Amino acid sequence: MTLKIHVDHEAGAPYEQVRAQISEQARSGALPVGHKLPTVRGLAEELGLAANTVAKAYRALEADGVIETRGRNGTFIAAAGDAAERRAAAAAQTYAAEARRLGLDQGAALDAVRDALRAAYE
């Protein structure tokens, strides 16, 4: 299995593209748990990016629980592959509580979520 990343310099922040693509590949199983990722410098060279750009993506992925750094051994896809789902569930619970506090009914709260998701995924 190999890491496949395409950076489109016209399509937003490169670090976010790297983060999103690694996250999706980990979530889908294309990058299995324990898969060793390239070094920051190695991936930066391969993609034609600054090392700080890749480092920023790796830091975000580690904060999300998608990858783990094992010191000199390298960076790997983490076993906690459902970390993103747990964070999304926590965010959803926070949103639901806030919508209820604001007096929105379920229909209005769901409409707001659908609009936000549509905007985020378009």
Side-chain angles (χ1 to χ4, degrees), residues 7 11 13 15 17 19 22 52 56 58 63 68 70-71 74-75 79 81 83 86 91 103 105 109 111-112 114-115 121:
V7 176
Y15 92 90
Q17 293 179 53
R19 187 210 58 78
I22 292 174
N52 285 341
K56 185 175 182 179
Y58 275 23
E68 60 187 4
R70 300 178 192 161
T75 303
R86 285 194 307 272
D105 65 20
D111 287 343
R114 284 188 194 99
D115 291 343
Y121 284 91

Side-chain angles (χ1 to χ4, degrees), residues 1-2 25-26 29-36 76-78:
M1 315 231 163
T2 59
Q25 289 176 49
L31 293 175
V33 170
H35 179 82
K36 186 173 183 178
F76 299 83
I77 299 299

Side-chain angles (χ1 to χ4, degrees), residues 95 107-122:
Y95 170 75
L110 283 172
D111 287 343
V113 169
R114 284 188 194 99
D115 291 343
L117 288 170
R118 196 173 4 265
Y121 284 91
E122 286 181 352

Side-chain angles (χ1 to χ4, degrees), residues 19-114:
R19 187 210 58 78
Q21 290 177 48
I22 292 174
S23 182
E24 176 54 35
Q25 289 176 49
R27 188 174 298 115
S28 72
L31 293 175
V33 170
H35 179 82
K36 186 173 183 178
L37 295 173
T39 64
V40 167
R41 285 187 181 168
L43 185 56
E45 278 184 28
E46 184 180 325
L47 298 175
L49 297 172
N52 285 341
T53 300
V54 175
K56 185 175 182 179
Y58 275 23
R59 282 191 304 273
L61 287 162
E62 192 159 24
D64 290 345
V66 175
I67 66 173
E68 60 187 4
T69 301
R70 300 178 192 161
R72 292 182 176 180
N73 292 323
T75 303
F76 299 83
I77 299 299
D82 63 338
E85 286 85 2
R86 285 194 307 272
R87 288 188 64 196
Q93 288 174 343
T94 300
Y95 170 75
E98 181 68 6
R100 185 170 184 181
R101 189 186 69 73
L102 292 170
L104 297 178
D105 65 20
Q106 284 185 8
L110 283 172
D111 287 343
V113 169
R114 284 188 194 99

